[in-house]
Amino acid sequence: MNILVVDDERDVQILFEQRFRKEIKNNEIEFAFAFSGEEALQYLNDNNHGAVLILSDINMPGMSGLELLRHIKEKYNAPPPLVMMITAYGDAENYNTAMRLGADDFLTKPVEFNVLKEKLKAIQ
Amino acid sequence: MLRKNKEIESTLNKLQSTQAQLIQSEKMASLGELTAGIAHEIQNPLNFINNFAEVNAELIDELNESIEKNDLSEVKSISGNIKDNESKIIFHGKRADAIVKGMLQHSRSSNGQKEPTDINALADEYLRLAYHGLRAKDKTFNATLKTEYDPAIGLINIVPQDIGRVILNLITNAFYAVSTPKSPKGDLTYTPTVSIKTNLIKSPSGDLGAKRSIGDSGIEKIEISVSDNGPGIPKSVLDKIFQPFFTTKPTGQGTGLGLSLSYDIVKAHGGELRVETKEGDGTEFIISLPA
Ligand SMILES: Nc1ncnc2c1ncn2[C@@H]1O[C@H](COP(=O)(O)OP(=O)(O)O)[C@@H](O)[C@H]1O
Ligand SMILES: [Mg+2]
């Protein structure tokens, strides 16, 4: 499974690589990282929408995670990748907007990696 | 006559202490804005600390297994990971530490001591805190933040808490300006935007004009600019904004002290606070300080 992680905190990359080191080693999951919404769109263009699943932070400078979500769900409809939104603000407003824009799931920070792994298994 | 003098003196004392209280309460009000932002800002480094610590605990188990198996190359690779994670833990611990220290600095009354300060770091810290503070209070608030920090600035001799407060006041005003219900032009494509810029300004001939407010020996100054694409300030309001207690905000939302205090602080630094605004376009406040 190909997962694109989008977050403006760069250390998220090292964290995911360590948290999923077994899955990466066993070639179960391949990760790509983008540090802004703009970078994420660029990645999707360059790689012919290579990601099956996108995990995106909502609160980022520049293009917000919700804007990114809207772009993805509007543009890539054959079929669009799954998108899970992650936010530090677990508020109804963000949740409702994300769902209206077609988010497939919604997580709040701090990310519980056990929960996330369960969800990924269910998708696979 | 003597009695009159005594009376005047006592009234003056009362006024002075009331003023000090007001200033303190304005400070606490802006601290209130910040606490939510601070909580949010600390959450990120804490998440990293917790996560990397947990990963390290797992890695140490794996390390022991590899030692049992005499797999030296695996031992080396795992211990390398542990060390990297350790440095991440230290880094994010220091980051949280700096945020708490910044908060304490803000609430403490300034000791008036100037110290060499990284203006870009100061500006960025207050921008993030103000943004997350507002976001935590008003979940629907969203704005694009633009930053342009001049790396040539280096360290500037200022009272960091005081200039920090000025920056915070300007940013808070800018956020308010872009969040007023309905965008200024009423168009749907409006993106609330707040920008902060710093600039080192070199004057080759020392030609900064006659009434330049920088130290006489200085031929350099720095500028910190906070701008927004809000509604701008109408002419009728513009000459009053630096007056104490002048506010156009509803009761409870504005004290009218932000700009007047900011003006005093910048003046005390030998600098200048000026405003450029165009109705319907936005507003820019510029702090200039001797470098
Ligand atoms: N960025 C801005 N855009 C539009 N108006 C502003 C801006 N900054 C300040 N003002 C005006 O100046 C007034 C005084 O600001 P200030 O002294 O900070 O007090 P307060 O924010 O409590 O009202 C505000 O009420 C507002 O009318
Ligand atoms: Mg104000």
Side-chain angles (χ1 to χ4, degrees), chain B residues 121-132:
Chain B
L122 188 79
D124 205 55
E125 184 189 345
Y126 279 92
L127 177 66
R128 295 181 65 97
L129 290 180
Y131 181 69
H132 290 302

Side-chain angles (χ1 to χ4, degrees), chain A residues 75-123:
Chain A
K75 262 205 210 145
Y76 307 107
N77 44 4
L82 296 175
V83 184
M84 270 188 208
M85 302 306 295
I86 305 177
T87 175
Y89 309 102
D91 53 291
E93 179 77 26
N94 267 334
Y95 179 83
N96 291 336
T97 312
M99 287 306 163
R100 186 164 43 79
L101 293 173
D104 299 280
D105 210 334
F106 194 85
L107 297 171
T108 46
K109 282 185 180 181
V111 174
E112 297 273 353
F113 279 87
N114 292 335
V115 175
L116 179 59
K117 283 188 184 182
E118 286 305 314
K119 289 189 185 234
L120 295 183
K121 263 199 202 122
I123 294 170

Side-chain angles (χ1 to χ4, degrees), chain B residues 263-281:
Chain B
Y263 188 88
D264 291 346
I265 291 170
V266 175
K267 264 270 128 70
H269 278 80
E272 209 176 74
L273 179 61
R274 62 176 203 277
V275 56
E276 277 161 29
T277 185
K278 195 162 167 238
E279 258 185 278
D281 269 6

Side-chain angles (χ1 to χ4, degrees), chain B residues 176-244:
Chain B
Y176 188 94
V178 297
S179 68
T180 29
K182 295 279 165 289
S183 64
K185 287 167 202 147
D187 64 89
L188 294 164
T189 56
Y190 176 67
T191 318
T193 307
V194 171
S195 315
I196 185 157
K197 248 188 284 182
T198 60
N199 243 318
L200 177 68
I201 294 173
K202 289 195 175 132
S203 164
S205 54
D207 170 33
L208 282 169
K211 64 172 181 96
R212 71 165 206 242
S213 46
I214 62 163
D216 273 340
S217 57
I219 50 149
E220 286 187 343
K221 64 173 182 172
I222 64 126
E223 285 187 347
I224 308 162
S225 135
V226 177
S227 56
D228 63 69
N229 63 349
I233 306 176
K235 279 219 172 59
S236 55
V237 167
L238 192 58
D239 21 317
K240 301 194 195 98
I241 58 171
F242 292 106
Q243 289 171 12

